Amino acid sequence: MTRILSGMQPTNQLHLGNYLGALKNWVALQDRGENLFCVVDLHAITVPQDPETLIRSTREIAAAYIAAGIDTAQSIIFAQSHVSAHAELGWILGCFTPLGWLNRMTQFKEKAGKDRENALLGLYGYPVLMAADILTYHATHVPVGEDQKQHLELTRDIAGAFNRRYEVDFFPLPEPQILGEATRVMSLRDGTKKMSKSDPSDMSRINMTDSPDLIAQKIRKAKTDPDALPFSPDELETRPEADNLLTLYAALSDVSKRAAIARFAGAQFSLLKAELTEVAIEKLGPIAARMTALMEDTAAIDAILRDGAEKANAIAQPILAETKRLVGFLPG
Ligand code: AQP
């Protein structure tokens, strides 16, 4: 059986990277089996959050899932903090995770920066909680962007360590699904940096709720290089901004990157930017409108999240109970 699980952090509004790297693929995959899509608020507090903003962002992310095409009749949408099994299993799995494994995680190194001494335990343990998110449902597939590949490998290692310790085949080793042309969308201001919610410059990203004018302005101002657009994929290796804009065009237009390169070969960036603007507005505009409409009824979003948590709990609790039994906890 295929059981998909994935999530997004309510750390800010979702951007084009979150959409093309993950959410668009979730929508495409959702009729393949059982799906759980969570808003990972426990992960969000690994960096400081204002409580009111966190509540609003949690609802906004849920609204974005639905607006992008996640169907609540087919998929479970819920908030991570509503299912206590995530945190409980996170603790247990932390007892199967050597520090050496966590020390290799590049996301922690990037987020902690130079001030490691003041980085929080929660940020360091983030990948263990992510492993718990996945394993507490025995999820088989995890559609994510390229940046999460290392965390998925760690999840498989932790599951393997648990299974070996108790000589069981209890946790399945989940498969990452890194799909589509835009698996790593880069900043519009610097083609070597990932597009990110936490980038201080709003001009670095296209948010899913940006107005058409703002989308046009951000693409117009996106960094380029002085040359005409290339004729072959090899030439993109040293041209990160051209690579990124062509990738975005391909992913939004549902064509291959090769086809996008052929379409703009030898052209100026202005032509690519004009067509990219058009397709970005065409694809994101209806999603933004649906999100705005959904956010007008926050009680309805809360009800969807409550219902989702109930269904998620029903799957997670027996798996958590069996985990505890294997570990040797006295039944409560
Ligand atoms: N730039 C990206 N390109 C492709 N996929 C991306 N994802 C994130 N950024 C890109 C994918 O989106 C999903 C949700 O990500 P997340 O909310 O867990 O946080 P993140 O990966 O840390 O993304 P951000 O935007 O950089 O958030 P902040 O700044 O809060 O850390 C994941 O599947 C991720 O791969």
PDB file of all heavy atoms in Angstrom, residues 6-11 14-15 17-22 26 40 107 111 126 143-148 182-186 194-199, ligand 1:
ATOM      1  N   SER A   6       3.689  14.295   3.810  1.00  0.00           N
ATOM      2  CA  SER A   6       4.623  15.410   3.664  1.00  0.00           C
ATOM      3  C   SER A   6       4.078  16.604   4.437  1.00  0.00           C
ATOM      4  O   SER A   6       2.944  16.563   4.936  1.00  0.00           O
ATOM      5  CB  SER A   6       4.847  15.739   2.178  1.00  0.00           C
ATOM      6  OG  SER A   6       6.068  16.441   2.025  1.00  0.00           O
ATOM      7  N   GLY A   7       4.871  17.657   4.549  1.00  0.00           N
ATOM      8  CA  GLY A   7       4.434  18.826   5.323  1.00  0.00           C
ATOM      9  C   GLY A   7       5.205  20.075   4.960  1.00  0.00           C
ATOM     10  O   GLY A   7       6.226  20.014   4.272  1.00  0.00           O
ATOM     11  N   MET A   8       4.684  21.197   5.410  1.00  0.00           N
ATOM     12  CA  MET A   8       5.356  22.496   5.220  1.00  0.00           C
ATOM     13  C   MET A   8       5.323  23.235   6.550  1.00  0.00           C
ATOM     14  O   MET A   8       4.350  23.135   7.310  1.00  0.00           O
ATOM     15  CB  MET A   8       4.615  23.362   4.207  1.00  0.00           C
ATOM     16  CG  MET A   8       4.332  22.686   2.908  1.00  0.00           C
ATOM     17  SD  MET A   8       5.072  23.561   1.557  1.00  0.00           S
ATOM     18  CE  MET A   8       4.615  22.454   0.230  1.00  0.00           C
ATOM     19  N   GLN A   9       6.337  24.042   6.767  1.00  0.00           N
ATOM     20  CA  GLN A   9       6.401  24.809   8.018  1.00  0.00           C
ATOM     21  C   GLN A   9       5.618  26.116   7.897  1.00  0.00           C
ATOM     22  O   GLN A   9       5.795  26.834   6.915  1.00  0.00           O
ATOM     23  CB  GLN A   9       7.833  25.218   8.298  1.00  0.00           C
ATOM     24  CG  GLN A   9       8.784  24.092   8.505  1.00  0.00           C
ATOM     25  CD  GLN A   9      10.134  24.655   8.894  1.00  0.00           C
ATOM     26  OE1 GLN A   9      10.338  25.077  10.015  1.00  0.00           O
ATOM     27  NE2 GLN A   9      11.059  24.667   7.952  1.00  0.00           N
ATOM     28  N   PRO A  10       4.814  26.429   8.920  1.00  0.00           N
ATOM     29  CA  PRO A  10       4.131  27.729   8.888  1.00  0.00           C
ATOM     30  C   PRO A  10       5.055  28.850   9.380  1.00  0.00           C
ATOM     31  O   PRO A  10       4.779  29.508  10.374  1.00  0.00           O
ATOM     32  CB  PRO A  10       2.935  27.510   9.829  1.00  0.00           C
ATOM     33  CG  PRO A  10       3.399  26.471  10.793  1.00  0.00           C
ATOM     34  CD  PRO A  10       4.391  25.596  10.074  1.00  0.00           C
ATOM     35  N   THR A  11       6.158  29.011   8.663  1.00  0.00           N
ATOM     36  CA  THR A  11       7.150  30.008   9.085  1.00  0.00           C
ATOM     37  C   THR A  11       6.960  31.333   8.359  1.00  0.00           C
ATOM     38  O   THR A  11       7.557  32.330   8.725  1.00  0.00           O
ATOM     39  CB  THR A  11       8.579  29.488   8.833  1.00  0.00           C
ATOM     40  OG1 THR A  11       8.592  28.738   7.626  1.00  0.00           O
ATOM     41  CG2 THR A  11       9.049  28.597   9.954  1.00  0.00           C
ATOM     42  N   LEU A  14       3.884  30.631   1.826  1.00  0.00           N
ATOM     43  CA  LEU A  14       4.553  29.705   0.911  1.00  0.00           C
ATOM     44  C   LEU A  14       5.020  30.462  -0.328  1.00  0.00           C
ATOM     45  O   LEU A  14       4.432  31.459  -0.724  1.00  0.00           O
ATOM     46  CB  LEU A  14       3.604  28.585   0.497  1.00  0.00           C
ATOM     47  CG  LEU A  14       3.148  27.658   1.622  1.00  0.00           C
ATOM     48  CD1 LEU A  14       2.344  26.486   1.070  1.00  0.00           C
ATOM     49  CD2 LEU A  14       4.334  27.134   2.424  1.00  0.00           C
ATOM     50  N   HIS A  15       6.080  29.946  -0.929  1.00  0.00           N
ATOM     51  CA  HIS A  15       6.629  30.587  -2.133  1.00  0.00           C
ATOM     52  C   HIS A  15       6.652  29.589  -3.292  1.00  0.00           C
ATOM     53  O   HIS A  15       6.295  28.408  -3.124  1.00  0.00           O
ATOM     54  CB  HIS A  15       8.019  31.161  -1.839  1.00  0.00           C
ATOM     55  CG  HIS A  15       8.981  30.173  -1.248  1.00  0.00           C
ATOM     56  ND1 HIS A  15       9.498  29.122  -1.964  1.00  0.00           N
ATOM     57  CD2 HIS A  15       9.478  30.049   0.006  1.00  0.00           C
ATOM     58  CE1 HIS A  15      10.310  28.417  -1.194  1.00  0.00           C
ATOM     59  NE2 HIS A  15      10.302  28.956   0.027  1.00  0.00           N
ATOM     60  N   GLY A  17       9.017  28.066  -4.681  1.00  0.00           N
ATOM     61  CA  GLY A  17       9.837  26.871  -4.434  1.00  0.00           C
ATOM     62  C   GLY A  17       9.035  25.805  -3.705  1.00  0.00           C
ATOM     63  O   GLY A  17       9.037  24.632  -4.091  1.00  0.00           O
ATOM     64  N   ASN A  18       8.309  26.216  -2.667  1.00  0.00           N
ATOM     65  CA  ASN A  18       7.464  25.256  -1.926  1.00  0.00           C
ATOM     66  C   ASN A  18       6.413  24.665  -2.867  1.00  0.00           C
ATOM     67  O   ASN A  18       6.096  23.474  -2.805  1.00  0.00           O
ATOM     68  CB  ASN A  18       6.741  25.927  -0.759  1.00  0.00           C
ATOM     69  CG  ASN A  18       7.664  26.533   0.274  1.00  0.00           C
ATOM     70  OD1 ASN A  18       7.510  27.684   0.647  1.00  0.00           O
ATOM     71  ND2 ASN A  18       8.642  25.771   0.740  1.00  0.00           N
ATOM     72  N   TYR A  19       5.860  25.523  -3.724  1.00  0.00           N
ATOM     73  CA  TYR A  19       4.796  25.056  -4.619  1.00  0.00           C
ATOM     74  C   TYR A  19       5.339  24.068  -5.666  1.00  0.00           C
ATOM     75  O   TYR A  19       4.848  22.940  -5.778  1.00  0.00           O
ATOM     76  CB  TYR A  19       4.119  26.254  -5.309  1.00  0.00           C
ATOM     77  CG  TYR A  19       3.069  25.818  -6.307  1.00  0.00           C
ATOM     78  CD1 TYR A  19       1.949  25.101  -5.896  1.00  0.00           C
ATOM     79  CD2 TYR A  19       3.209  26.092  -7.669  1.00  0.00           C
ATOM     80  CE1 TYR A  19       0.997  24.664  -6.804  1.00  0.00           C
ATOM     81  CE2 TYR A  19       2.259  25.661  -8.586  1.00  0.00           C
ATOM     82  CZ  TYR A  19       1.159  24.942  -8.150  1.00  0.00           C
ATOM     83  OH  TYR A  19       0.230  24.502  -9.054  1.00  0.00           O
ATOM     84  N   LEU A  20       6.378  24.480  -6.384  1.00  0.00           N
ATOM     85  CA  LEU A  20       6.863  23.625  -7.482  1.00  0.00           C
ATOM     86  C   LEU A  20       7.650  22.425  -6.965  1.00  0.00           C
ATOM     87  O   LEU A  20       7.581  21.337  -7.548  1.00  0.00           O
ATOM     88  CB  LEU A  20       7.739  24.446  -8.435  1.00  0.00           C
ATOM     89  CG  LEU A  20       7.006  25.558  -9.191  1.00  0.00           C
ATOM     90  CD1 LEU A  20       7.995  26.392  -9.993  1.00  0.00           C
ATOM     91  CD2 LEU A  20       5.919  24.994 -10.095  1.00  0.00           C
ATOM     92  N   GLY A  21       8.393  22.612  -5.864  1.00  0.00           N
ATOM     93  CA  GLY A  21       9.215  21.519  -5.340  1.00  0.00           C
ATOM     94  C   GLY A  21       8.392  20.477  -4.605  1.00  0.00           C
ATOM     95  O   GLY A  21       8.784  19.309  -4.536  1.00  0.00           O
ATOM     96  N   ALA A  22       7.238  20.889  -4.052  1.00  0.00           N
ATOM     97  CA  ALA A  22       6.493  19.936  -3.220  1.00  0.00           C
ATOM     98  C   ALA A  22       4.983  19.950  -3.506  1.00  0.00           C
ATOM     99  O   ALA A  22       4.427  18.970  -4.003  1.00  0.00           O
ATOM    100  CB  ALA A  22       6.772  20.225  -1.752  1.00  0.00           C
ATOM    101  N   TRP A  26       2.338  16.966  -4.656  1.00  0.00           N
ATOM    102  CA  TRP A  26       1.368  16.323  -3.751  1.00  0.00           C
ATOM    103  C   TRP A  26       0.021  16.201  -4.468  1.00  0.00           C
ATOM    104  O   TRP A  26      -0.632  15.167  -4.386  1.00  0.00           O
ATOM    105  CB  TRP A  26       1.137  17.145  -2.493  1.00  0.00           C
ATOM    106  CG  TRP A  26       2.313  17.424  -1.617  1.00  0.00           C
ATOM    107  CD1 TRP A  26       3.610  17.014  -1.798  1.00  0.00           C
ATOM    108  CD2 TRP A  26       2.293  18.189  -0.417  1.00  0.00           C
ATOM    109  NE1 TRP A  26       4.380  17.493  -0.775  1.00  0.00           N
ATOM    110  CE2 TRP A  26       3.611  18.211   0.085  1.00  0.00           C
ATOM    111  CE3 TRP A  26       1.295  18.862   0.279  1.00  0.00           C
ATOM    112  CZ2 TRP A  26       3.943  18.886   1.260  1.00  0.00           C
ATOM    113  CZ3 TRP A  26       1.619  19.528   1.461  1.00  0.00           C
ATOM    114  CH2 TRP A  26       2.932  19.540   1.932  1.00  0.00           C
ATOM    115  N   VAL A  40       3.505  21.704   9.658  1.00  0.00           N
ATOM    116  CA  VAL A  40       4.423  21.265  10.709  1.00  0.00           C
ATOM    117  C   VAL A  40       4.783  22.428  11.648  1.00  0.00           C
ATOM    118  O   VAL A  40       5.866  22.985  11.610  1.00  0.00           O
ATOM    119  CB  VAL A  40       5.661  20.532  10.126  1.00  0.00           C
ATOM    120  CG1 VAL A  40       5.241  19.182   9.563  1.00  0.00           C
ATOM    121  CG2 VAL A  40       6.371  21.315   9.037  1.00  0.00           C
ATOM    122  N   GLN A 107      21.318  21.278   6.614  1.00  0.00           N
ATOM    123  CA  GLN A 107      20.325  22.326   6.908  1.00  0.00           C
ATOM    124  C   GLN A 107      20.601  22.947   8.282  1.00  0.00           C
ATOM    125  O   GLN A 107      20.490  24.161   8.446  1.00  0.00           O
ATOM    126  CB  GLN A 107      18.901  21.776   6.853  1.00  0.00           C
ATOM    127  CG  GLN A 107      17.863  22.876   7.081  1.00  0.00           C
ATOM    128  CD  GLN A 107      16.444  22.414   6.830  1.00  0.00           C
ATOM    129  OE1 GLN A 107      16.050  22.106   5.714  1.00  0.00           O
ATOM    130  NE2 GLN A 107      15.658  22.349   7.881  1.00  0.00           N
ATOM    131  N   LYS A 111      21.301  26.848   8.907  1.00  0.00           N
ATOM    132  CA  LYS A 111      20.400  27.650   9.745  1.00  0.00           C
ATOM    133  C   LYS A 111      21.078  28.132  11.024  1.00  0.00           C
ATOM    134  O   LYS A 111      20.783  29.217  11.508  1.00  0.00           O
ATOM    135  CB  LYS A 111      19.116  26.881  10.066  1.00  0.00           C
ATOM    136  CG  LYS A 111      18.250  26.701   8.824  1.00  0.00           C
ATOM    137  CD  LYS A 111      16.809  26.444   9.139  1.00  0.00           C
ATOM    138  CE  LYS A 111      16.008  26.432   7.843  1.00  0.00           C
ATOM    139  NZ  LYS A 111      14.606  26.193   8.003  1.00  0.00           N
ATOM    140  N   TYR A 126      15.643  18.704  14.761  1.00  0.00           N
ATOM    141  CA  TYR A 126      14.614  18.818  13.711  1.00  0.00           C
ATOM    142  C   TYR A 126      14.513  17.548  12.844  1.00  0.00           C
ATOM    143  O   TYR A 126      13.412  17.022  12.629  1.00  0.00           O
ATOM    144  CB  TYR A 126      14.973  20.055  12.873  1.00  0.00           C
ATOM    145  CG  TYR A 126      14.076  20.427  11.726  1.00  0.00           C
ATOM    146  CD1 TYR A 126      13.413  21.654  11.720  1.00  0.00           C
ATOM    147  CD2 TYR A 126      13.915  19.609  10.616  1.00  0.00           C
ATOM    148  CE1 TYR A 126      12.613  22.033  10.662  1.00  0.00           C
ATOM    149  CE2 TYR A 126      13.110  19.969   9.561  1.00  0.00           C
ATOM    150  CZ  TYR A 126      12.464  21.185   9.595  1.00  0.00           C
ATOM    151  OH  TYR A 126      11.670  21.550   8.534  1.00  0.00           O
ATOM    152  N   PRO A 143       6.963  12.986  -0.751  1.00  0.00           N
ATOM    153  CA  PRO A 143       7.299  13.941  -1.816  1.00  0.00           C
ATOM    154  C   PRO A 143       7.824  15.262  -1.230  1.00  0.00           C
ATOM    155  O   PRO A 143       7.120  15.942  -0.488  1.00  0.00           O
ATOM    156  CB  PRO A 143       5.967  14.148  -2.545  1.00  0.00           C
ATOM    157  CG  PRO A 143       4.901  13.695  -1.608  1.00  0.00           C
ATOM    158  CD  PRO A 143       5.516  12.825  -0.555  1.00  0.00           C
ATOM    159  N   VAL A 144       9.065  15.584  -1.567  1.00  0.00           N
ATOM    160  CA  VAL A 144       9.728  16.780  -1.011  1.00  0.00           C
ATOM    161  C   VAL A 144      10.617  17.416  -2.076  1.00  0.00           C
ATOM    162  O   VAL A 144      10.896  16.812  -3.116  1.00  0.00           O
ATOM    163  CB  VAL A 144      10.649  16.421   0.192  1.00  0.00           C
ATOM    164  CG1 VAL A 144       9.859  16.178   1.456  1.00  0.00           C
ATOM    165  CG2 VAL A 144      11.547  15.234  -0.121  1.00  0.00           C
ATOM    166  N   GLY A 145      11.088  18.624  -1.784  1.00  0.00           N
ATOM    167  CA  GLY A 145      12.099  19.254  -2.629  1.00  0.00           C
ATOM    168  C   GLY A 145      13.466  18.651  -2.337  1.00  0.00           C
ATOM    169  O   GLY A 145      13.657  17.940  -1.338  1.00  0.00           O
ATOM    170  N   GLU A 146      14.390  18.941  -3.218  1.00  0.00           N
ATOM    171  CA  GLU A 146      15.762  18.403  -3.143  1.00  0.00           C
ATOM    172  C   GLU A 146      16.440  18.662  -1.784  1.00  0.00           C
ATOM    173  O   GLU A 146      17.175  17.820  -1.267  1.00  0.00           O
ATOM    174  CB  GLU A 146      16.537  19.082  -4.289  1.00  0.00           C
ATOM    175  CG  GLU A 146      18.009  18.901  -4.350  1.00  0.00           C
ATOM    176  CD  GLU A 146      18.401  17.542  -4.876  1.00  0.00           C
ATOM    177  OE1 GLU A 146      17.702  17.010  -5.754  1.00  0.00           O
ATOM    178  OE2 GLU A 146      19.408  17.023  -4.366  1.00  0.00           O
ATOM    179  N   ASP A 147      16.116  19.818  -1.163  1.00  0.00           N
ATOM    180  CA  ASP A 147      16.791  20.178   0.093  1.00  0.00           C
ATOM    181  C   ASP A 147      16.480  19.206   1.234  1.00  0.00           C
ATOM    182  O   ASP A 147      17.205  19.180   2.229  1.00  0.00           O
ATOM    183  CB  ASP A 147      16.415  21.616   0.516  1.00  0.00           C
ATOM    184  CG  ASP A 147      14.925  21.789   0.763  1.00  0.00           C
ATOM    185  OD1 ASP A 147      14.124  21.168   0.046  1.00  0.00           O
ATOM    186  OD2 ASP A 147      14.560  22.531   1.684  1.00  0.00           O
ATOM    187  N   GLN A 148      15.423  18.426   1.097  1.00  0.00           N
ATOM    188  CA  GLN A 148      15.052  17.505   2.186  1.00  0.00           C
ATOM    189  C   GLN A 148      15.583  16.087   1.988  1.00  0.00           C
ATOM    190  O   GLN A 148      15.325  15.198   2.801  1.00  0.00           O
ATOM    191  CB  GLN A 148      13.522  17.455   2.344  1.00  0.00           C
ATOM    192  CG  GLN A 148      12.918  18.760   2.826  1.00  0.00           C
ATOM    193  CD  GLN A 148      13.428  19.179   4.193  1.00  0.00           C
ATOM    194  OE1 GLN A 148      13.757  18.348   5.029  1.00  0.00           O
ATOM    195  NE2 GLN A 148      13.523  20.482   4.424  1.00  0.00           N
ATOM    196  N   ALA A 182      11.489  21.461 -11.153  1.00  0.00           N
ATOM    197  CA  ALA A 182      11.950  22.475 -10.196  1.00  0.00           C
ATOM    198  C   ALA A 182      12.137  21.874  -8.812  1.00  0.00           C
ATOM    199  O   ALA A 182      11.419  22.196  -7.870  1.00  0.00           O
ATOM    200  CB  ALA A 182      10.956  23.625 -10.150  1.00  0.00           C
ATOM    201  N   THR A 183      13.111  20.992  -8.664  1.00  0.00           N
ATOM    202  CA  THR A 183      13.306  20.335  -7.375  1.00  0.00           C
ATOM    203  C   THR A 183      14.068  21.225  -6.400  1.00  0.00           C
ATOM    204  O   THR A 183      14.069  20.987  -5.195  1.00  0.00           O
ATOM    205  CB  THR A 183      14.073  19.010  -7.547  1.00  0.00           C
ATOM    206  OG1 THR A 183      15.303  19.315  -8.199  1.00  0.00           O
ATOM    207  CG2 THR A 183      13.291  18.025  -8.383  1.00  0.00           C
ATOM    208  N   ARG A 184      14.747  22.231  -6.937  1.00  0.00           N
ATOM    209  CA  ARG A 184      15.465  23.189  -6.083  1.00  0.00           C
ATOM    210  C   ARG A 184      15.374  24.564  -6.736  1.00  0.00           C
ATOM    211  O   ARG A 184      16.196  24.917  -7.600  1.00  0.00           O
ATOM    212  CB  ARG A 184      16.920  22.754  -5.912  1.00  0.00           C
ATOM    213  CG  ARG A 184      17.675  23.578  -4.895  1.00  0.00           C
ATOM    214  CD  ARG A 184      19.081  22.996  -4.664  1.00  0.00           C
ATOM    215  NE  ARG A 184      19.834  23.830  -3.761  1.00  0.00           N
ATOM    216  CZ  ARG A 184      19.759  23.762  -2.417  1.00  0.00           C
ATOM    217  NH1 ARG A 184      18.985  22.880  -1.855  1.00  0.00           N
ATOM    218  NH2 ARG A 184      20.477  24.564  -1.668  1.00  0.00           N
ATOM    219  N   VAL A 185      14.371  25.319  -6.348  1.00  0.00           N
ATOM    220  CA  VAL A 185      14.162  26.663  -6.912  1.00  0.00           C
ATOM    221  C   VAL A 185      15.099  27.631  -6.186  1.00  0.00           C
ATOM    222  O   VAL A 185      15.225  27.582  -4.956  1.00  0.00           O
ATOM    223  CB  VAL A 185      12.687  27.095  -6.744  1.00  0.00           C
ATOM    224  CG1 VAL A 185      12.499  28.542  -7.153  1.00  0.00           C
ATOM    225  CG2 VAL A 185      11.781  26.170  -7.550  1.00  0.00           C
ATOM    226  N   MET A 186      15.759  28.484  -6.945  1.00  0.00           N
ATOM    227  CA  MET A 186      16.756  29.366  -6.341  1.00  0.00           C
ATOM    228  C   MET A 186      16.209  30.785  -6.175  1.00  0.00           C
ATOM    229  O   MET A 186      15.205  31.171  -6.795  1.00  0.00           O
ATOM    230  CB  MET A 186      18.023  29.390  -7.222  1.00  0.00           C
ATOM    231  CG  MET A 186      18.549  28.005  -7.569  1.00  0.00           C
ATOM    232  SD  MET A 186      18.769  26.907  -6.142  1.00  0.00           S
ATOM    233  CE  MET A 186      20.366  27.435  -5.570  1.00  0.00           C
ATOM    234  N   LYS A 194      19.148  29.012  -2.246  1.00  0.00           N
ATOM    235  CA  LYS A 194      17.789  28.459  -2.338  1.00  0.00           C
ATOM    236  C   LYS A 194      16.733  29.540  -2.092  1.00  0.00           C
ATOM    237  O   LYS A 194      16.919  30.387  -1.213  1.00  0.00           O
ATOM    238  CB  LYS A 194      17.662  27.360  -1.273  1.00  0.00           C
ATOM    239  CG  LYS A 194      16.438  26.491  -1.399  1.00  0.00           C
ATOM    240  CD  LYS A 194      16.363  25.508  -0.225  1.00  0.00           C
ATOM    241  CE  LYS A 194      15.728  26.111   0.975  1.00  0.00           C
ATOM    242  NZ  LYS A 194      14.767  25.291   1.709  1.00  0.00           N
ATOM    243  N   MET A 195      15.651  29.508  -2.873  1.00  0.00           N
ATOM    244  CA  MET A 195      14.515  30.383  -2.555  1.00  0.00           C
ATOM    245  C   MET A 195      13.962  29.916  -1.215  1.00  0.00           C
ATOM    246  O   MET A 195      13.696  28.730  -1.031  1.00  0.00           O
ATOM    247  CB  MET A 195      13.444  30.294  -3.641  1.00  0.00           C
ATOM    248  CG  MET A 195      12.289  31.261  -3.433  1.00  0.00           C
ATOM    249  SD  MET A 195      11.031  31.185  -4.749  1.00  0.00           S
ATOM    250  CE  MET A 195      11.784  32.123  -6.054  1.00  0.00           C
ATOM    251  N   SER A 196      13.794  30.853  -0.285  1.00  0.00           N
ATOM    252  CA  SER A 196      13.446  30.451   1.077  1.00  0.00           C
ATOM    253  C   SER A 196      12.486  31.441   1.723  1.00  0.00           C
ATOM    254  O   SER A 196      12.581  32.645   1.488  1.00  0.00           O
ATOM    255  CB  SER A 196      14.751  30.362   1.881  1.00  0.00           C
ATOM    256  OG  SER A 196      14.467  30.172   3.232  1.00  0.00           O
ATOM    257  N   LYS A 197      11.595  30.896   2.575  1.00  0.00           N
ATOM    258  CA  LYS A 197      10.649  31.755   3.305  1.00  0.00           C
ATOM    259  C   LYS A 197      11.381  32.701   4.229  1.00  0.00           C
ATOM    260  O   LYS A 197      10.903  33.782   4.519  1.00  0.00           O
ATOM    261  CB  LYS A 197       9.732  30.899   4.180  1.00  0.00           C
ATOM    262  CG  LYS A 197       8.799  30.001   3.458  1.00  0.00           C
ATOM    263  CD  LYS A 197       7.830  29.408   4.482  1.00  0.00           C
ATOM    264  CE  LYS A 197       7.547  27.953   4.221  1.00  0.00           C
ATOM    265  NZ  LYS A 197       8.411  27.040   4.991  1.00  0.00           N
ATOM    266  N   SER A 198      12.515  32.245   4.756  1.00  0.00           N
ATOM    267  CA  SER A 198      13.203  33.054   5.768  1.00  0.00           C
ATOM    268  C   SER A 198      14.251  34.005   5.181  1.00  0.00           C
ATOM    269  O   SER A 198      14.931  34.684   5.931  1.00  0.00           O
ATOM    270  CB  SER A 198      13.838  32.142   6.816  1.00  0.00           C
ATOM    271  OG  SER A 198      14.609  31.167   6.187  1.00  0.00           O
ATOM    272  N   ASP A 199      14.359  34.071   3.855  1.00  0.00           N
ATOM    273  CA  ASP A 199      15.270  35.065   3.271  1.00  0.00           C
ATOM    274  C   ASP A 199      14.753  36.461   3.626  1.00  0.00           C
ATOM    275  O   ASP A 199      13.570  36.762   3.414  1.00  0.00           O
ATOM    276  CB  ASP A 199      15.317  34.887   1.740  1.00  0.00           C
ATOM    277  CG  ASP A 199      16.440  35.698   1.116  1.00  0.00           C
ATOM    278  OD1 ASP A 199      16.594  36.882   1.474  1.00  0.00           O
ATOM    279  OD2 ASP A 199      17.158  35.148   0.258  1.00  0.00           O
TER     280      ASP A 199
HETATM  281  N1  AQP B   1      13.578  26.510  -2.973  1.00  0.00           N
HETATM  282  C1  AQP B   1      12.929  25.365  -2.987  1.00  0.00           C
HETATM  283  N2  AQP B   1      12.832  24.630  -4.113  1.00  0.00           N
HETATM  284  C2  AQP B   1      12.144  23.459  -4.147  1.00  0.00           C
HETATM  285  N3  AQP B   1      11.512  22.948  -3.059  1.00  0.00           N
HETATM  286  C3  AQP B   1      11.581  23.652  -1.913  1.00  0.00           C
HETATM  287  N4  AQP B   1      11.082  23.441  -0.687  1.00  0.00           N
HETATM  288  C4  AQP B   1      11.438  24.455   0.132  1.00  0.00           C
HETATM  289  N5  AQP B   1      12.164  25.349  -0.536  1.00  0.00           N
HETATM  290  C5  AQP B   1      12.287  24.884  -1.818  1.00  0.00           C
HETATM  291  C6  AQP B   1      10.265  22.285  -0.322  1.00  0.00           C
HETATM  292  O1  AQP B   1       9.072  22.759   0.265  1.00  0.00           O
HETATM  293  C7  AQP B   1       8.642  21.847   1.274  1.00  0.00           C
HETATM  294  C8  AQP B   1       8.318  22.572   2.532  1.00  0.00           C
HETATM  295  O2  AQP B   1       9.465  23.216   3.034  1.00  0.00           O
HETATM  296  P1  AQP B   1       9.467  23.669   4.546  1.00  0.00           P
HETATM  297  O3  AQP B   1       8.345  24.546   4.819  1.00  0.00           O
HETATM  298  O4  AQP B   1       9.582  22.492   5.419  1.00  0.00           O
HETATM  299  O5  AQP B   1      10.777  24.475   4.775  1.00  0.00           O
HETATM  300  P2  AQP B   1      12.136  24.579   4.083  1.00  0.00           P
HETATM  301  O6  AQP B   1      12.494  23.395   3.258  1.00  0.00           O
HETATM  302  O7  AQP B   1      13.146  24.951   5.113  1.00  0.00           O
HETATM  303  O8  AQP B   1      11.757  25.760   3.108  1.00  0.00           O
HETATM  304  P3  AQP B   1      12.021  27.257   3.249  1.00  0.00           P
HETATM  305  O9  AQP B   1      11.119  27.962   2.340  1.00  0.00           O
HETATM  306  O10 AQP B   1      13.486  27.495   3.075  1.00  0.00           O
HETATM  307  O11 AQP B   1      11.563  27.611   4.723  1.00  0.00           O
HETATM  308  P4  AQP B   1      12.360  28.267   5.895  1.00  0.00           P
HETATM  309  O12 AQP B   1      12.972  29.492   5.328  1.00  0.00           O
HETATM  310  O13 AQP B   1      11.324  28.529   6.936  1.00  0.00           O
HETATM  311  O14 AQP B   1      13.375  27.272   6.339  1.00  0.00           O
HETATM  312  C9  AQP B   1       9.751  20.821   1.431  1.00  0.00           C
HETATM  313  O15 AQP B   1       9.383  19.644   0.734  1.00  0.00           O
HETATM  314  C10 AQP B   1      10.931  21.456   0.776  1.00  0.00           C
HETATM  315  O16 AQP B   1      11.815  20.510   0.221  1.00  0.00           O
END
